[in-house]
Amino acid sequence: MRSVVEGSPCATRNVWKQSFVTSEQAERFVASLHTVNRIARPEEIAPFVAFLHSDKASFVTGAALAIDGRFIAR
């Protein structure tokens, strides 16, 4: 069984925006949390999700793989 769990600030952009006066402030703050200094685009995440749900990932088990712009590495 393979699954994808949303959890990174890049994936919860609208939640962060509610905490700030402007969405520009929210975007800058969340981007600053990542060592790559930007928020992921959906097209950067989608290929990974497609791979995990394909037969090519049939031997991937028990792994937590972060696609987070080095957020965890901080």
Side-chain angles (χ1 to χ4, degrees):
M1 178 174 165
R2 296 179 299 269
S3 66
V4 176
V5 178
E6 176 183 334
S8 168
C10 66
T12 56
R13 165 183 311 210
N14 290 329
V15 173
W16 283 92
K17 283 184 180 179
Q18 294 171 6
S19 302
F20 292 87
V21 176
T22 67
S23 60
E24 291 81 20
Q25 287 176 322
E27 296 275 341
R28 282 193 304 272
F29 174 73
V30 174
S32 74
L33 297 175
H34 297 79
T35 59
V36 295
N37 291 317
R38 64 182 181 81
I39 297 172
R41 296 181 305 274
E43 58 270 18
E44 293 175 298
I45 306 299
F48 181 73
V49 173
F51 167 74
L52 280 181
H53 289 284
S54 74
D55 290 338
K56 292 179 182 179
S58 64
F59 211 68
V60 176
T61 61
L65 306 170
I67 307 172
D68 65 358
R70 293 184 49 94
F71 180 77
I72 293 175
R74 291 186 48 153

